[in-house]
Every structure is written in structure tokens, then in C-alpha cells.
Amino acid sequence: MNNELLTGKNARLTTKNEESPDARGTSPQNITVVLPAYNEEVSIGSIVLLTRHYSDSVIVIDDGSSDRTARIAEKAGAHVIVHEANKGKGAALKTGFAAAADLGADIIVTMDSDGQHNPSDIPKLVAPIIDGYAEMVNGSRYLTHQDKNTPIYRRFGQTILDTATKMNSGLKITDSQSGFRAFSASTKNVFRFNARGMAIESEMLADAGRSGLRITEVEIGVRYDVDGSTMSPIKHGLGVLVMVLKDVEFNRPLYYFTAPGVLLWGGGLTMGVSFLHNYNAVGQGLNFGPTILMILLIIVGTFMALTGVLLHSMSAVARKTEAA
């Protein structure tokens, strides 16, 4: 067993020198699957074994687990990278993408390691990249609106997160929180990998949208009876929403500041016109409270609108500088 330092003192790489059974077909593309894992000893072994049938390599990033996740994944034939401390899903994916590139991956597939995703969906997930008309493929539970297994509360929260993510990324994606995706290896430097939790899914879409990647979706299945999350869906959803809105604030200020500012300014202006009409028509004087509200709406609305325009101009200059 070879231990190799990969990302500083907090990660180590363990590889098994054996070939996986080949059942994935004859594609010339090297397909590497990245599995972030945190205390997934129950499911990780079977997921690795199944995934190896549809890929050239499987990389498991044990993100500070306190159980036998790393040991079981290694015995199942995965390349195992261990973060000594829990760094979050974004950092795990960053480590996994770098390791996949080192292994010569042409296509990188990300999957959840709790058993929700079916590895047999990998071939259709990578097909658009192999065929050359996509650089990123999003696995969607809702592409044809036929997923009857999603609980109503999940679907409601999903709709809110999808809307916020679309506003941030500019992409028409039907399942913004999917962790089952495929990427051309050439896209690995597009992503920031900053988000610690599940907000990484929305962050990656925002990065892909701003970079102009060719993106498509394919339908996947999902199991909810194996959901091992210990966080309540409401807390999880709110956490993701807050992170997405923060990202919108910095990356799409016209949505975050200018659009609401214009609405506030319009509301104040409408109130002012109404006051003038009442004054001219019936001689009604201005009431102190509504007048102050009108002035505040106009001032705050104008300030927000101009702030959004200024931030948008600054971000455009920053992007041009980075591109140069």
C-alpha cells in the first residue's frame, strides 16, 4: 500500500494496484468517478463495487470520517483520499477533481456515496460528453416530471432552490441540487469549490453558467429510503438558499440590488403621483407618515439601483481582467 501526500498535511492518497472488472463498454474516454464520503461505511463498499463496472477508476474522498469508510472503500477497490478533518463537500470535490486529473481522467463523474444514485445511469450521463455536444451533464430527477417518489415538502423546497439557482447561474436546470453529474476533465479549473455543504451543487452551476460551458441534462432515478442525512430538510434547504443568495449578491448584483431598487423606486413614485392627483383634484393635503414613506422608498430604491449597476460594472471589469 502506497501512501502519498496529495493536498498538504491534511490529506493522504491510498491506491490499490489492481484493475477493476471491465463491464463499462469500449469507450476510448477515461471515466473516473469521484465519491465524497463522510461516515458512509454502510453503503460505500457496495457503491464502489457497482461503480467500478461503469468506470475506469473510482476515487473516494473520506472527508474526516470517524468510521471505517476509508478502509471499506479501499478494500472494494477504490483510490482513497483521506481528509484528516471534515472540510465539507466543496473541498472534497476539489480534492477529487485534482486526483482524477492526476489519474488521466477524460470525464469526471460525481455521485453521492449514500446509495441514492444508481451507478448504472453513468453510461447515459457521460454519453453527451463522449458524443461531443456537452461539457457538463446534470442528472435530473425531474426532467420529464415523472418522479413520483419525491416527498411534497422536498419538491416545494426544491422549486425554491431551483428558482434561486437559475437566477444566479442563468441556466434553465430542472434539478439544481443533483449531486449526480458528469464533467469533461477540461472544466476542472472552472469551479471554485468554496461551499462547504450541499450549496456546492448550486455554486458549480453558477460557475458553469458564467464560464459558458455547454450543459445538458439527462434523466436519472433516485432512492429516498437510503437518505442518510442527519440534517433536517428545512434547515438544509434554508442553508443552501442563504448561500445561493449570497452568491447572487456578489455575482448578479443587477438581480440582487437593481431589480428590487427599481421596484421600490417605482412604488415611491406611484405614491407621489397619487398624492399630487389627490392634492390637485380635491385639495387634500399631504399626510406626514405616507409622505416620509414615499421619500424613503424613492431614496432607498435609487441607492439600491445605482449600487447594483456599480457592482455589475466592477464585476465585469474584474472578469475581463481575469480573462486577460
Side-chain angles (χ1 to χ4, degrees), residues 3-295:
N3 288 338
E4 177 184 342
L5 193 65
L6 183 71
T7 55
K9 294 186 287 187
N10 291 326
R12 64 179 185 273
L13 172 64
T14 306
T15 61
K16 297 279 286 185
N17 295 319
E18 58 183 31
E19 297 294 325
S20 64
D22 187 9
R24 69 175 188 86
T26 58
S27 169
Q29 303 272 12
N30 180 298
I31 299 170
T32 297
V33 178
V34 173
L35 294 169
Y38 177 67
N39 290 338
E40 298 287 2
E41 65 176 11
V42 173
S43 60
I44 195 64
S46 59
I47 292 300
V48 170
L49 290 172
L50 289 171
T51 302
R52 290 177 65 200
H53 285 281
Y54 303 97
S55 63
D56 295 282
S57 304
V58 179
I59 300 173
V60 172
I61 301 89
D62 180 0
D63 193 32
S65 297
S66 59
D67 62 5
R68 299 177 300 159
T69 294
R71 192 183 319 163
I72 293 173
E74 180 197 350
K75 289 183 177 179
H79 302 264
V80 179
I81 302 171
V82 177
H83 287 177
E84 299 296 346
N86 182 261
K87 298 181 178 182
K89 190 174 182 180
L93 287 175
K94 183 176 183 179
T95 298
F97 270 54
D102 290 341
L103 290 176
D106 297 303
I107 299 174
I108 301 171
V109 176
T110 61
M111 285 178 56
D112 292 342
S113 55
D114 56 8
Q116 283 192 324
H117 299 142
N118 189 343
S120 66
D121 284 333
I122 291 175
K124 65 179 179 180
L125 200 70
V126 302
I129 299 177
I130 293 175
D131 292 341
Y133 63 87
E135 295 164 295
M136 174 178 172
V137 181
N138 191 60
S140 174
R141 296 163 284 183
Y142 315 116
L143 190 59
T144 57
H145 306 286
Q146 292 180 352
D147 185 4
K148 307 296 184 182
N149 298 320
T150 307
I152 294 177
Y153 69 89
R154 281 181 179 266
R155 196 67 190 99
F156 176 75
Q158 179 78 36
T159 300
I160 296 175
L161 295 177
D162 285 348
T163 301
T165 301
K166 288 176 186 177
M167 183 173 66
N168 189 27
S169 66
L171 301 173
K172 294 182 179 179
I173 296 294
T174 62
D175 190 357
S176 66
Q177 302 308 301
S178 174
F180 198 4
R181 293 170 175 168
F183 306 82
S184 170
S186 62
T187 68
K188 68 183 181 66
N189 294 325
V190 164
F191 306 105
R192 291 169 289 166
F193 299 113
N194 287 338
R196 283 187 58 88
M198 296 304 172
I200 185 61
E201 321 297 0
S202 293
E203 180 188 281
M204 293 181 77
L205 287 174
D207 293 340
R210 284 193 294 274
S211 298
L213 297 186
R214 293 174 297 156
I215 303 172
T216 190
E217 292 190 297
V218 299
E219 188 172 9
I220 60 168
V222 66
R223 294 178 58 187
Y224 293 104
D225 58 324
V226 295
D227 186 2
S229 175
T230 58
M231 183 181 296
S232 72
I234 295 177
K235 185 176 180 180
H236 162 71
L238 288 176
V240 173
L241 182 60
V242 168
M243 289 298 295
V244 172
L245 291 179
K246 286 183 178 179
D247 209 30
V248 173
E249 177 183 357
F250 289 104
N251 295 299
R252 289 186 174 264
L254 292 180
Y255 280 106
Y256 199 88
F257 291 105
T258 302
V262 169
L263 291 176
L264 292 177
W265 182 85
L269 185 63
T270 300
M271 290 179 65
V273 171
S274 176
F275 293 161
L276 289 175
H277 177 268
N278 291 334
Y279 179 79
N280 292 328
V282 297
Q284 179 180 341
L286 297 179
N287 295 321
F288 179 78
T291 302
I292 293 298
L293 178 60
M294 175 195 71
I295 295 172

Side-chain angles (χ1 to χ4, degrees), residues 250 253 307-321:
F250 289 104
T307 298
V309 171
L310 178 61
L311 290 176
H312 176 73
S313 299
M314 292 173 62
S315 63
V317 171
R319 283 194 294 270
K320 288 181 179 179
T321 303

